[in-house]
Amino acid sequence: RVVLGKVICCLQPSTVGMWRTRTSLRFSLSRIASYGVRFHSTSLAPVDRRRFRIKETASVVVIGGGAVGTSLAYHLAKGGVSDVVLLEKTELTAGSTWLAAGVTTFFNPGVNMKKFHYDSIKLYQQLEEETGQSVGLHCPGSIRLATTSERMTEFQYQMQRNNWHPNPQSLIGPTEIAGLCPILNMDGIVGGLYNPGDGHVDPYLLTQALAIGARKYGATIQTNCGVIGMKQLSSGEWQIDTNLGALKAKHVVNAAGFWAQEVGRMVGIELPLVALQHQYVVTDPVPELVALQREIPCLRDLDGSYALRQECNGLLVGPYENPEKVHLQEEWVESGVPPNFGKEMFDIDIDRIAHHLEMAAERIPSFANAGISQVICGPITYSPDSNAMVGLWQGLSNYWLACGFSYGIVQAGGAGKYLASWMINGEPPYQLIEVDAARYGSWTTKNYTAAKARESYGLNTSIVYPKEERSAGRPARVSGAYEAMKQRGAEFGFYSGWEQPNWFALPGDEKGYVPSFRRTNWFAPVGRESELVRERVGIIDLSPYGKLEVSGRGSVDFIDSMFANAVPEVGTTNISHMLTPRGRIYAEMTISRLVDDQFYLVTGQGSEQRDQRWLELHKPSDGDVTVVNVTDDYGCLGIAGPLSREVMASLTSTPMGNNDFPFLTFQKVSLGGIPVFAIRVSCTGELGWELHHASLHTRDLYEILLDAGKPFGIGDFGMYAMDSLRLERGIPLWGTELTIDATALEARLDSFIKLSKIANFVGKEALLKEEATGLSQELVFLTVDTTDTDPEGNEAIWLNDQVSFSCSLSPSFFLLPLSRSSLP
């Protein structure tokens, strides 16, 4: 069978037989597995250079002609970027796009990722009118099925985080589900989550339409042009070598799909990506669908771990097998993708998905009685957390990523729009650190990547809980106090690779991670730890904080131009914010000025590469400023509480009084013989210090502090308690309340923003304009009455039966329009 030029596995119904019972289903599946697969070669054939001439220069070169690459070329060209060139080694769609099922959905459990999906579907809805090319878009809606009360609770949780989005979504009951999809066996179904705008698109036609649009706005698309090498010249330009010759470009984007690893290795980087085998089956026409004369909604039987949609008058069923059965293309990790692989498929392994197909047959009886016409087994790319890698790569100038998409078709339109906006305007258009390539680092080894990718794929349809912890590949990064804290009952959370205590289980407490949408075993211990810090003294591991050193002759002017606060005096520390050109909050740091031209910067967990990238992007080119990431070189323990001064004083001869050691100053002290760089600051809002030290001393310092603190009732506290404490004091934090979705003035950071200083820091012009015109929204603090559930962030707030603002940001802070900021 040939569909849109695809050569696929062909199985005649007479060969497969009819699926009538569980027994015959197993027999049919075993028969399928015995048949071979036909291949369509996409090897890079020799090209007559006399017939094809490649452009010699470009402003942006996009490598990869799948849905994501063509979307980016389209958005860049439409956004006014001239000389956009897309290079595809064979023909458009030759990769994961070729074999994709094309499902589109507004739904995503990540609140920021919903924007990706929304922008994609809205683009696909109008692309035919714009380009004249149909994309084969169908929008019959989709239903996520719930067969347990816990799954319905998850749907309710997702509803409260969706209402401030424009994405259409609602809860529906069994009667409405049966009406929308009459072919369902309704046994056990208790409800569903309905997205009326969902559906599917033809990946091949979509890619062609995006390519037509890109050309319409001036982009060049060069097929049969494989990239064989790349290097950055002394001018900063990239030289891209291809089988058709070389060209130079200011920017290069790696959108090469499952070849992204090979393209990355050309410039010396290793991407945390791995290809997985994904299978789906397509049936012959189903009489019940023919008789229905309308398209049924896409179905996601989450407890059965499969998705189903209508394909013409047949059914397409795509399961997600459990982690133990996931098949990784491990040989690709070591040896690379075979040069001639593109539209090929892997050998069918129906046993891996047989259980899920049997569950689909029970849920949709007409599927059990259908003949199988196609079985597809092809590669999809996964990162450790299943999210794509989008944005500027830290360490290489003007080298961008748009790869690692495990849901490439539904995200291609939104990803192209997002990245094009970032490249054109010099800042991300909205908060989306979930896909920022800088979230990974050297700690993402091949073994870690494989373990997490297997887990992420296999748990694709599992219930997504707040405070979720997944165990595969851990631990990846630990501080010197890890084992000691583990022995003392630490329950660790995962923070950008780091193991950091969330809370401590003491004797009598229930240990371990207990998933729930309500308060569980962590709640009482967190209350105990908060009381400890408020009344006595506690210690916390803050080693995952990012740490950067900025130095050089031009460092003072550089710091002044990058941060909105004044440059601290030597010997002092301040809280400062880096802003975007629109005045939005890019980062929050403490800056300690060691000497005239040397600064020590501390940022949040996992932000060190992202913040280093922003600094290096703006630093002067004359070499007078150096930015060094020293996160792994230094550990950090926090000590906080009204008795923290007494503990410190018992270990050092350095005077610790308030006049001797004021707030937001630092000193080099010796604590029990260990050299410590002590900064008097604490995110808890209580008296406290951050104790920075050489990482090899972390365990010794931890034990010294615990021993010295015994007379004062010292104890451990974790990140949950710190969050509770800071919220009680009204202290906002970057990444939750403070993001690029709000300006510094909207976030009420006025005391940290020095608009009167001479330096024209990044974002100053935008803030001055905003100050003159007035704010449209501002960050406020609300108290929420609750019993056994807590806001997790991004919930909608209702007032007079309407959602009263565009988004909420954390358990207690909300971004409210000024017209609503005075609530009754």
Side-chain angles (χ1 to χ4, degrees):
R1 177 170 298 190
V2 178
V3 179
L4 297 176
K6 300 181 183 181
V7 179
I8 57 180
C9 174
C10 299
L11 298 168
Q12 297 299 325
S14 59
T15 301
V16 176
M18 304 300 283
W19 297 7
R20 300 196 182 278
T21 65
R22 178 182 289 264
T23 302
S24 64
L25 173 62
R26 288 186 181 276
F27 175 73
S28 298
L29 295 180
S30 66
R31 292 281 299 276
I32 291 173
S34 68
Y35 284 83
V37 181
R38 294 175 62 186
F39 295 98
H40 178 92
S41 177
T42 55
S43 60
L44 195 59
V47 176
D48 186 352
R49 293 192 183 189
R50 293 171 297 180
R51 295 180 56 200
F52 298 96
R53 290 182 61 85
I54 193 170
K55 293 187 67 171
E56 295 182 355
T57 60
S59 56
V60 180
V61 166
V62 180
I63 302 172
V68 173
T70 53
S71 172
L72 178 59
Y74 162 84
H75 282 98
L76 286 169
K78 188 174 182 178
V81 179
S82 60
D83 292 329
V84 176
V85 175
L86 183 148
L87 304 179
E88 163 56 44
K89 78 182 188 75
T90 55
E91 58 185 287
L92 298 181
T93 75
S96 292
T97 299
W98 181 257
L99 300 171
V103 175
T104 59
T105 176
F106 283 108
F107 178 85
N108 192 291
V111 291
N112 295 323
M113 295 296 294
K114 293 180 189 292
K115 181 70 170 170
F116 252 24
H117 291 216
Y118 180 84
D119 287 344
S120 288
I121 295 175
K122 289 302 178 182
L123 171 65
Y124 303 164
Q125 289 173 350
Q126 58 87 35
L127 202 54
E128 180 177 357
E129 180 180 352
E130 183 179 356
T131 65
Q133 171 64 60
S134 169
V135 299
L137 180 65
H138 295 244
C139 297
S142 77
I143 307 171
R144 283 172 167 74
L145 300 175
T147 56
T148 65
S149 60
E150 188 75 350
R151 185 69 75 173
M152 280 303 295
T153 301
E154 180 193 22
F155 291 171
Q156 292 167 347
Y157 174 73
Q158 288 298 333
M159 280 302 302
Q160 71 185 17
R161 294 154 62 87
N162 184 78
N163 283 315
W164 56 274
H165 283 276
N167 302 2
Q169 183 171 289
S170 61
L171 294 173
I172 58 176
T175 301
E176 192 171 359
I177 293 172
L180 289 166
C181 190
I183 69 170
L184 273 176
N185 171 7
M186 293 299 297
D187 292 349
I189 295 176
V190 298
L193 190 67
Y194 179 48
N195 292 89
D198 287 8
H200 53 96
V201 68
D202 186 299
Y204 178 86
L205 296 180
L206 171 65
T207 305
Q208 299 302 329
L210 290 167
I212 291 170
R215 293 188 185 100
K216 173 182 176 180
Y217 296 112
T220 298
I221 296 180
Q222 184 70 63
T223 58
N224 294 301
C225 184
V227 176
I228 57 178
M230 201 183 321
K231 62 181 178 181
Q232 194 161 27
L233 306 176
S234 58
S235 63
E237 292 178 300
W238 286 96
Q239 177 177 304
I240 302 97
D241 298 316
T242 79
N243 61 308
L244 297 181
L247 73 162
K248 296 178 182 178
K250 182 178 180 181
H251 298 267
V252 63
V253 185
N254 182 347
F258 52 69
W259 286 285
Q261 188 72 273
E262 279 72 18
V263 174
R265 287 169 178 166
M266 293 178 186
V267 295
I269 63 175
E270 194 77 17
L271 300 177
L273 300 174
V274 63
L276 309 176
Q277 291 188 11
H278 181 64
Q279 300 182 98
Y280 63 87
V281 302
V282 183
T283 74
D284 288 323
V286 174
E288 292 87 342
L289 293 179
V290 175
L292 195 59
Q293 294 186 337
R294 64 173 173 86
E295 188 169 356
I296 62 170
C298 302
L299 298 176
R300 290 173 175 82
D301 186 348
L302 302 174
D303 295 322
S305 194
Y306 65 86
L308 176 149
R309 70 166 177 83
Q310 188 167 331
E311 171 70 9
C312 298
N313 285 320
L315 293 171
L316 184 154
V317 182
Y320 285 87
E321 55 267 40
N322 63 42
E324 292 73 27
K325 291 188 176 182
V326 173
H327 187 100
L328 273 66
Q329 283 300 109
E330 296 180 0
E331 59 270 28
W332 286 13
V333 176
E334 298 299 330
S335 305
V337 182
N340 64 341
F341 198 96
K343 296 179 180 178
E344 291 72 24
M345 293 185 294
F346 302 121
D347 290 337
I348 296 168
D349 185 0
I350 210 72
D351 288 342
R352 291 209 312 266
I353 59 174
H355 171 69
H356 306 289
L357 295 179
E358 291 166 1
M359 295 188 73
E362 292 179 0
R363 181 60 63 196
I364 305 99
S366 54
F367 174 58
N369 295 323
I372 301 300
S373 64
Q374 306 170 25
V375 181
I376 307 298
C377 182
I380 56 174
T381 306
Y382 258 67
S383 70
D385 60 13
S386 81
N387 284 329
M389 299 181 69
V390 181
L392 192 60
W393 178 263
Q394 159 57 23
L396 293 174
S397 62
N398 297 333
Y399 186 90
W400 302 78
L401 297 179
C403 54
F405 287 86
S406 50
Y407 311 100
I409 301 304
V410 70
Q411 294 179 356
K417 182 178 180 180
Y418 174 86
L419 186 55
S421 176
W422 185 351
M423 297 177 72
I424 292 169
N425 299 311
E427 62 177 288
Y430 54 90
Q431 181 80 354
L432 199 60
I433 58 175
E434 293 94 327
V435 301
D436 195 322
R439 71 189 188 275
Y440 295 127
S442 59
W443 53 272
T444 48
T445 63
K446 291 180 181 178
N447 288 339
Y448 172 85
T449 299
K452 294 303 285 188
R454 184 186 299 277
E455 177 187 61
S456 295
Y457 180 95
L459 299 180
N460 185 282
T461 60
S462 66
I463 293 177
V464 179
Y465 288 99
K467 298 181 172 63
E468 185 175 43
E469 295 291 340
R470 294 183 174 182
S471 60
R474 297 171 59 179
R477 304 171 84 182
V478 299
S479 81
Y482 171 76
E483 290 294 341
M485 289 186 168
K486 186 176 180 180
Q487 293 171 11
R488 290 175 58 84
E491 294 292 340
F492 292 96
F494 182 84
Y495 296 87
S496 297
W498 288 97
E499 298 294 327
Q500 190 171 21
N502 281 330
W503 58 281
F504 284 77
L506 300 185
D509 294 332
E510 180 184 3
K511 299 180 180 180
Y513 166 60
V514 179
S516 176
F517 294 97
R518 305 183 185 279
R519 296 170 178 170
T520 61
N521 56 333
W522 56 266
F523 185 73
V526 170
R528 178 180 65 220
E529 293 169 19
S530 299
E531 181 181 15
L532 168 76
V533 177
R534 285 196 307 268
E535 297 183 0
R536 298 186 301 280
V537 56
I539 186 170
I540 184 172
D541 188 4
L542 300 176
S543 297
Y545 277 180
K547 311 165 196 80
L548 305 172
E549 288 184 353
V550 177
S551 60
R553 292 180 302 170
S555 59
V556 176
D557 291 339
F558 178 59
I559 292 291
D560 207 16
S561 69
M562 291 302 299
F563 290 89
N565 206 344
V567 179
E569 299 293 330
V570 174
T572 67
T573 299
N574 70 14
I575 299 169
S576 297
H577 301 84
M578 289 196 295
L579 309 180
T580 72
R582 292 182 296 159
R584 295 173 179 262
I585 308 163
Y586 187 87
E588 180 180 63
M589 299 186 182
T590 58
I591 302 178
S592 300
R593 190 172 182 180
L594 309 182
V595 294
D596 283 344
D597 57 1
Q598 187 176 6
F599 299 84
Y600 183 69
L601 282 56
V602 181
T603 186
Q605 304 103 314
S607 294
E608 70 267 20
Q609 289 200 115
R610 178 181 177 275
D611 294 348
Q612 182 182 12
R613 180 183 65 197
W614 191 253
L615 289 166
E616 291 184 341
L617 184 65
H618 293 87
K619 76 176 184 178
S621 58
D622 56 13
D624 284 348
V625 175
T626 301
V627 181
V628 180
N629 185 350
V630 294
T631 300
D632 292 334
D633 297 332
Y634 296 105
C636 180
L637 298 176
I639 185 170
L643 301 182
S644 58
R645 177 178 283 119
E646 280 76 3
V647 176
M648 295 275 286
S650 70
L651 290 169
T652 182
S653 58
T654 302
M656 301 300 297
N658 192 57
N659 293 331
D660 300 306
F661 207 144
F663 180 58
L664 289 179
T665 63
F666 64 84
Q667 294 188 42
K668 294 180 179 180
V669 301
S670 175
L671 297 180
I674 294 178
V676 170
F677 179 75
I679 306 173
R680 192 179 151 192
V681 67
S682 176
C683 196
T684 63
E686 302 291 340
L687 173 68
W689 282 262
E690 289 180 5
L691 307 176
H692 297 257
H693 56 276
S695 57
L696 72 161
H697 295 316
T698 302
R699 176 159 186 160
D700 290 341
L701 180 60
Y702 175 60
E703 292 177 344
I704 287 170
L705 289 168
L706 287 176
D707 188 59
K710 287 179 181 178
F712 307 101
I714 198 170
D716 298 288
F717 70 105
M719 293 301 296
Y720 288 177
M722 189 167 82
D723 258 349
S724 176
L725 290 162
R726 73 171 181 84
L727 290 170
E728 290 173 357
R729 292 297 186 95
I731 300 174
L733 191 68
W734 192 89
T736 52
E737 300 81 37
L738 308 179
T739 73
I740 62 171
D741 290 331
T743 70
L745 298 183
E746 289 172 343
R748 303 168 78 176
L749 297 176
D750 308 54
S751 60
F752 304 103
I753 308 300
K754 307 304 181 186
L755 291 174
S756 60
K757 75 175 187 176
I758 297 174
N760 186 28
F761 59 85
V762 176
K764 181 178 181 179
E765 185 176 333
L767 294 186
L768 288 172
K769 182 178 179 180
E770 184 179 45
E771 186 181 51
T773 58
L775 303 179
S776 60
Q777 58 182 4
E778 68 175 350
L779 195 67
V780 300
F781 187 87
L782 300 180
T783 300
V784 180
D785 292 327
T786 183
T787 53
D788 68 340
T789 59
D790 295 290
E792 291 291 332
N794 293 286
E795 290 85 359
I797 298 298
W798 291 80
L799 180 66
N800 298 330
D801 295 325
Q802 292 184 345
V803 176
S804 63
F805 58 94
S806 59
C807 74
S808 56
L809 299 172
S810 78
S812 299
F813 283 95
F814 305 97
L815 197 60
L816 221 61
L818 285 180
S819 59
R820 300 280 190 176
S821 61
S822 298
L823 298 179

